[in-house]
mmCIF file of all heavy atoms in Angstrom:
data_model
loop_
_atom_site.group_PDB
_atom_site.id
_atom_site.type_symbol
_atom_site.label_atom_id
_atom_site.label_comp_id
_atom_site.label_asym_id
_atom_site.label_seq_id
_atom_site.Cartn_x
_atom_site.Cartn_y
_atom_site.Cartn_z
ATOM 1 N N GLY A 47 38.956 -67.805 7.130
ATOM 2 C CA GLY A 47 37.862 -66.966 6.657
ATOM 3 C C GLY A 47 36.526 -67.460 7.158
ATOM 4 O O GLY A 47 36.441 -68.224 8.133
ATOM 5 N N THR A 55 14.947 -58.881 0.720
ATOM 6 C CA THR A 55 13.509 -58.982 0.929
ATOM 7 C C THR A 55 12.737 -57.874 0.220
ATOM 8 O O THR A 55 11.517 -57.808 0.336
ATOM 9 C CB THR A 55 13.184 -58.947 2.437
ATOM 10 O OG1 THR A 55 13.615 -57.699 2.982
ATOM 11 C CG2 THR A 55 13.890 -60.089 3.160
ATOM 12 N N PRO A 59 15.626 -55.111 -7.171
ATOM 13 C CA PRO A 59 17.026 -55.476 -6.947
ATOM 14 C C PRO A 59 17.738 -54.427 -6.108
ATOM 15 O O PRO A 59 17.352 -53.257 -6.080
ATOM 16 C CB PRO A 59 17.615 -55.554 -8.363
ATOM 17 C CG PRO A 59 16.700 -54.746 -9.203
ATOM 18 C CD PRO A 59 15.336 -54.850 -8.593
ATOM 19 N N ARG A 85 25.154 -57.179 -7.062
ATOM 20 C CA ARG A 85 23.721 -56.979 -7.295
ATOM 21 C C ARG A 85 22.961 -58.193 -6.763
ATOM 22 O O ARG A 85 23.322 -59.339 -7.064
ATOM 23 C CB ARG A 85 23.452 -56.800 -8.794
ATOM 24 C CG ARG A 85 21.969 -56.623 -9.165
ATOM 25 C CD ARG A 85 21.811 -56.592 -10.666
ATOM 26 N NE ARG A 85 20.422 -56.629 -11.076
ATOM 27 C CZ ARG A 85 19.721 -55.581 -11.475
ATOM 28 N NH1 ARG A 85 20.295 -54.392 -11.518
ATOM 29 N NH2 ARG A 85 18.453 -55.711 -11.852
ATOM 30 N N LYS A 144 42.639 -70.758 15.812
ATOM 31 C CA LYS A 144 42.554 -72.172 15.425
ATOM 32 C C LYS A 144 42.686 -73.111 16.615
ATOM 33 O O LYS A 144 41.994 -74.130 16.700
ATOM 34 C CB LYS A 144 43.647 -72.440 14.382
ATOM 35 C CG LYS A 144 43.850 -73.873 14.006
ATOM 36 C CD LYS A 144 44.809 -73.981 12.812
ATOM 37 C CE LYS A 144 46.161 -73.378 13.086
ATOM 38 N NZ LYS A 144 47.104 -73.602 11.949
ATOM 39 N N HIS A 157 37.146 -60.305 35.811
ATOM 40 C CA HIS A 157 37.416 -59.974 37.205
ATOM 41 C C HIS A 157 36.942 -58.543 37.472
ATOM 42 O O HIS A 157 37.365 -57.598 36.795
ATOM 43 C CB HIS A 157 38.913 -60.074 37.496
ATOM 44 C CG HIS A 157 39.443 -61.475 37.440
ATOM 45 N ND1 HIS A 157 40.799 -61.766 37.540
ATOM 46 C CD2 HIS A 157 38.818 -62.669 37.295
ATOM 47 C CE1 HIS A 157 40.967 -63.072 37.450
ATOM 48 N NE2 HIS A 157 39.779 -63.638 37.286
ATOM 49 N N ASP A 212 31.558 -49.139 48.686
ATOM 50 C CA ASP A 212 32.500 -49.683 49.657
ATOM 51 C C ASP A 212 32.000 -50.946 50.355
ATOM 52 O O ASP A 212 32.809 -51.789 50.769
ATOM 53 C CB ASP A 212 32.833 -48.615 50.710
ATOM 54 C CG ASP A 212 33.541 -47.411 50.092
ATOM 55 O OD1 ASP A 212 34.239 -47.609 49.083
ATOM 56 O OD2 ASP A 212 33.387 -46.299 50.625
ATOM 57 N N ASP A 214 29.821 -53.153 48.978
ATOM 58 C CA ASP A 214 29.280 -54.104 48.011
ATOM 59 C C ASP A 214 30.249 -55.251 47.741
ATOM 60 O O ASP A 214 31.471 -55.067 47.756
ATOM 61 C CB ASP A 214 28.934 -53.394 46.701
ATOM 62 C CG ASP A 214 27.794 -52.415 46.869
ATOM 63 O OD1 ASP A 214 27.037 -52.559 47.850
ATOM 64 O OD2 ASP A 214 27.654 -51.516 46.020
ATOM 65 N N LEU A 236 32.470 -59.213 43.406
ATOM 66 C CA LEU A 236 33.085 -57.890 43.346
ATOM 67 C C LEU A 236 34.089 -57.762 44.479
ATOM 68 O O LEU A 236 33.726 -57.839 45.658
ATOM 69 C CB LEU A 236 32.010 -56.810 43.467
ATOM 70 C CG LEU A 236 32.490 -55.354 43.421
ATOM 71 C CD1 LEU A 236 33.078 -55.022 42.052
ATOM 72 C CD2 LEU A 236 31.349 -54.407 43.763
#
Side-chain angles (χ1 to χ4, degrees):
T55 62
R85 178 186 171 102
K144 172 171 59 175
H157 292 173
D212 296 331
D214 294 340
L236 180 65

